[in-house]
Amino acid sequence: MAIRTAGKLFKDLIRQRVISTSIGASRHCSSAATSAPKIPHSSKKGRRLLTGATIGLVIAGGAYVSTVDEATFCGWLFSATKLVNPFFALLDAEKAHTLAVSAAARGWVPREKRPDPPNLGLEVWGRKFSNPVGLAAGFDKNAEAVEGLLGMGFGFVEVGSVTPVPQEGNPKPRIFRLRQEGAIINRCGFNSEGIVAVAKRLGAQHGKRKLETSSTSSPSNDEAKHGGKAGPGILGVNLGKNKSSEDASADYVQGVHTLSQYADYLVINVSSPNTPGLRMLQGRKQLKDLVKRIQAARDEMQWGEEGPPPLLVKIAPDLSKEDLEDIAAVAVALRLDGLIISNTTISRPDPVDKNPVCAEAGGLSGKPLFDLSTNILKEMYMLTRGKIPLIGCGGISSGEDAYKKIRSGATLVQLYTAFAYGGPALIPQIKAELAECLERDGFKSIHEAVGADCR
């Protein structure tokens, strides 16, 4: 099986004319929903590097698989992706991001064949997650690579933020690496191809995934709940507003009407620091009015037995205790399905403040955000008394980090910056380390560990 897998991958690479054809896709200027435009001429160096590395890995893999089983070969493929990371580091941050999304969209990434550790499985919102480790919004803004990203072993993937009308976002450069600190500053500003393009793409992927799932399995009633609407893996859709919009709630409602049919959960993003006035929607009255209108828009649609997708709100880490109390009160009163804690920060905590790049405007993500976002997470867990599922996001780069988020109240966790630096090899590493942490402390499941440090 492993030999056939390597052979198929090599043939696919040749058939797609890897050496002479661009593998890039612009997520910001595409006018077609299902086809990806070529990467600009300036990124040919990155294209050649990635192509050469990919072919090298395939050839080496082909020689290696004859002596190992599929699980061992799968582990080798994930480890081998570390060899590609230095090539991405040579590129401009946004070009590297574009290449990474394009590679995942084309299936030029390893696919996880090994089962997740049993103690990582859990049920949230009536859905069974094979593991609690997800990919945060912002990586796959336009839903180009859902299948490839889920295939790498994430328990769930969140696409977006998606705006109603296509917009370019803020001027470039707008993504800045702080490599030594394991951080990134971005001021992208909701660059998006818009809901129409994303809906077409998700619709095509949705049908394909459902067809593949139905053709490979005949699940029982219990098994049918495993994964999302279209098959294994959970898909979240993060909704944003256009920069020029004067009616934020109308933008979110439009996103709900267009994209909720494909989503296993929806997210209202009111916390990006790169859209003027957006964070004002986190105020008690503003948030209450916004959530009520969006819930009404979602609930007025026709749904099957599974009902409407859960609705979550993503909040900022730069909030006062009073702000957190207001958000918690709204979340409990309106029976919000969950909160994501947190988005990027406008602060520059130590040691980032000593890096000259910290002067760049935008939101900071990565390791320096961990303590701030985890403290906010713990506070929100106590304010909501553990009644609302929380997704911990911000600074996770190891299984121990994910475990600390869970002990602080997170039911699920999300990566972004660490994945951008560490690549696919980080996913199985974090899952394995997280499973070891649970076993070490005597927890038989994720649910047993949620909020352990808040009791």
Side-chain angles (χ1 to χ4, degrees):
M1 177 65 73
I3 298 174
R4 290 198 300 271
T5 301
K8 182 178 183 299
L9 179 57
F10 185 75
K11 291 176 182 177
D12 287 345
L13 290 173
I14 298 301
R15 184 169 61 251
Q16 294 178 34
R17 300 163 71 181
V18 176
I19 298 176
S20 61
T21 304
S22 169
I23 67 168
S26 172
R27 302 185 315 282
H28 318 298
C29 305
S30 175
S31 60
T34 56
S35 62
K38 293 183 179 179
I39 292 176
H41 180 76
S42 59
S43 65
K44 284 186 176 180
K45 177 181 178 182
R47 183 183 66 199
R48 290 195 296 267
L49 289 171
L50 180 60
T51 298
T54 302
I55 292 177
L57 291 176
V58 172
I59 294 174
Y64 180 68
V65 295
S66 60
T67 60
V68 298
D69 57 37
E70 187 175 57
T72 304
F73 177 58
C74 182
W76 178 86
L77 277 179
F78 274 92
S79 297
T81 61
K82 295 177 182 178
L83 301 175
V84 182
N85 292 343
F87 297 117
F88 281 91
L90 297 174
L91 304 176
D92 165 80
E94 188 155 354
K95 288 188 176 71
H97 185 183
T98 301
L99 277 170
V101 174
S102 181
R106 286 158 173 74
W108 295 355
V109 290
R111 190 169 185 85
E112 184 60 83
K113 300 291 186 180
R114 299 161 294 182
D116 287 326
N119 60 351
L120 296 188
L122 72 164
E123 185 174 324
V124 189
W125 308 308
R127 294 286 186 186
K128 291 184 178 180
F129 291 67
S130 62
N131 71 78
V133 182
L135 179 62
F139 185 84
D140 188 7
K141 289 178 177 287
N142 297 303
E144 299 173 68
V146 172
E147 187 176 356
L149 293 170
L150 285 173
M152 281 193 281
F154 283 112
F156 62 108
V157 168
E158 188 175 311
V159 300
S161 294
V162 188
T163 58
V165 179
Q167 62 179 29
E168 292 291 333
N170 293 321
K172 300 176 183 180
R174 54 194 180 185
I175 303 178
F176 307 90
R177 297 184 180 107
L178 295 87
R179 191 174 301 280
Q180 288 186 338
E181 293 83 3
I184 289 174
I185 292 174
N186 94 83
R187 53 169 180 264
C188 291
F190 283 171
N191 48 302
S192 173
E193 292 180 9
I195 58 174
V196 173
V198 171
K200 289 181 179 178
R201 195 171 283 132
L202 284 178
Q205 295 173 358
H206 188 84
K208 180 182 178 183
R209 290 178 63 209
K210 287 195 73 171
L211 183 63
E212 291 176 347
T213 302
S214 62
S215 65
T216 56
S217 63
S218 299
S220 66
N221 291 335
D222 181 64
E223 291 174 335
K225 297 179 183 178
H226 199 288
K229 292 178 179 178
I234 307 293
L235 173 65
V237 177
N238 186 301
L239 305 175
K241 69 174 285 289
N242 282 111
K243 183 177 182 180
S244 60
S245 175
E246 297 182 358
D247 187 349
S249 60
D251 280 15
Y252 292 111
V253 166
Q254 191 175 352
V256 168
H257 284 162
T258 308
L259 299 175
S260 58
Q261 60 184 312
Y262 308 116
D264 295 308
Y265 70 89
L266 293 167
V267 181
I268 310 171
N269 188 348
V270 292
S271 52
S272 169
N274 302 314
T275 297
L278 185 70
R279 287 191 167 188
M280 293 176 61
L281 296 174
Q282 295 175 114
R284 185 166 189 155
K285 182 182 185 306
Q286 295 92 327
L287 184 62
K288 183 177 181 180
D289 292 343
L290 179 65
V291 170
K292 287 176 70 175
R293 184 171 175 185
I294 295 172
Q295 285 178 329
R298 177 198 62 175
D299 295 343
E300 71 185 10
M301 299 174 67
Q302 293 185 348
W303 300 102
E305 294 181 1
E306 295 180 347
L311 184 66
L312 290 72
V313 171
K314 187 169 185 174
I315 67 173
D318 311 303
L319 295 168
S320 67
K321 183 174 179 59
E322 184 180 357
D323 293 331
L324 294 174
E325 290 173 349
D326 287 344
I327 292 172
V330 171
V332 173
L334 297 183
R335 297 183 179 181
L336 202 61
D337 297 300
L339 293 167
I340 299 181
I341 305 169
S342 68
N343 213 316
T344 58
T345 179
I346 56 174
S347 68
R348 299 293 184 261
D350 184 70
V352 171
D353 58 344
K354 300 178 180 61
N355 191 317
V357 180
C358 80
E360 294 289 348
L364 173 74
S365 63
K367 290 182 180 180
L369 177 59
F370 182 82
D371 289 340
L372 176 61
S373 61
T374 304
N375 290 336
I376 296 292
L377 171 68
K378 187 181 295 186
E379 184 74 20
M380 187 58 71
Y381 180 82
M382 291 187 287
L383 287 170
T384 57
R385 300 180 182 180
K387 295 179 179 179
I388 297 174
L390 305 178
I391 299 180
C393 182
I396 296 174
S397 58
S398 68
E400 188 70 41
D401 290 341
Y403 182 54
K404 288 178 181 177
K405 293 281 189 186
I406 291 167
R407 291 185 63 101
S408 296
T411 301
L412 303 167
V413 297
Q414 288 180 323
L415 317 177
Y416 185 159
T417 301
F419 177 62
Y421 281 123
L426 187 66
I427 306 169
Q429 174 189 322
I430 286 181
K431 291 190 292 185
E433 291 173 354
L434 176 57
E436 290 174 2
C437 288
L438 291 169
E439 187 174 355
R440 177 193 68 201
D441 291 350
F443 294 115
K444 297 180 180 179
S445 68
I446 294 292
H447 282 305
E448 286 185 7
V450 173
D453 289 342
C454 305
R455 297 166 190 163

